[in-house]
Amino acid sequence: MQYSVVVVIAALFSVSAAQVWLLPSGKDKDLYSNVWGRALQNSNGGVTWNKPVGHGNVFGTLGTNNQGLFGKAGYQGTIFNDARGKLDGQAYGTRVLSPAGDTSHFGGKLNWANENAKASVDISKQIHGKTTVDASGAGVWNVDKNTQLSAGGSLYHGGSGKPDVTVNAQIEHKF
């Protein structure tokens, strides 16, 4: 499983890098020697890209910091945007290489919202490690012209032990 995640991330990077490092003339050029390349450079010395594909974008970041080398790549897009609300989705993978040890994660996110409510869920899995789930939702509804109901909650489970669950609700009436 770990091998396939690394291959997918490497393939996404290769396709995106080919688009970034080749000029329209087709000649190779140093990434940071032109305005386009300088715009891609992060403050942390990394490279970020975002390329429209289908109904979404392929994105990625490669960089370094004091802890080591890191990379993240994935796809994000809108699944629907109509009377039901707007649903966005994202699938991603990350890899960190450091003296303290290497880690790989993959996961996905869904974010939904309409005029009264919103909800999100993010599930990620560390290779040879734990699966984490982070979900939340909230909404505000007008009961009548002077009364408003708001409710929300969240759930976080870090892969071991009991999950952290929060629920709240409020009724507000203006006299």
Side-chain angles (χ1 to χ4, degrees):
M1 179 69 178
Q2 183 176 4
Y3 179 75
S4 61
V5 171
V6 172
V7 169
V8 169
I9 291 171
L12 286 171
F13 172 73
S14 300
V15 170
S16 299
Q19 296 294 322
V20 172
W21 285 314
L22 287 177
L23 296 174
S25 65
K27 296 181 181 178
D28 288 337
K29 190 154 183 167
D30 179 40
L31 176 63
Y32 300 117
S33 66
N34 60 39
V35 175
W36 172 247
R38 286 191 300 272
L40 291 173
Q41 188 173 9
N42 289 338
S43 60
N44 66 3
V47 177
T48 300
W49 70 92
N50 192 355
K51 177 154 178 61
V53 175
H55 294 290
N57 295 312
V58 173
F59 64 88
T61 300
L62 294 173
T64 63
N65 58 24
N66 294 336
Q67 285 77 37
L69 303 170
F70 61 88
K72 179 175 183 176
Y75 180 81
Q76 63 188 11
T78 299
I79 298 168
F80 62 78
N81 187 4
D82 55 23
R84 300 172 287 182
K86 182 177 181 185
L87 179 63
D88 294 320
Q90 182 182 95
Y92 59 87
T94 63
R95 177 77 171 148
V96 177
L97 304 173
S98 73
D102 304 339
T103 61
S104 297
H105 287 80
F106 64 93
K109 294 181 184 181
L110 290 173
N111 294 310
W112 171 82
N114 70 10
E115 61 188 37
N116 295 323
K118 63 183 177 177
S120 65
V121 63
D122 183 353
I123 300 174
S124 65
K125 167 80 173 144
Q126 181 176 354
I127 304 297
H128 304 296
K130 299 177 181 179
T131 299
T132 60
V133 177
D134 191 1
S136 64
V140 177
W141 299 270
N142 292 322
V143 178
D144 62 30
K145 69 178 186 169
N146 294 327
T147 307
Q148 188 175 51
L149 168 67
S150 60
S154 65
L155 176 132
Y156 176 79
H157 191 267
S160 61
K162 294 182 179 180
D164 295 328
V165 178
T166 304
V167 177
N168 56 39
Q170 176 180 329
I171 296 176
E172 182 180 321
H173 183 77
K174 297 176 186 173
F175 292 98

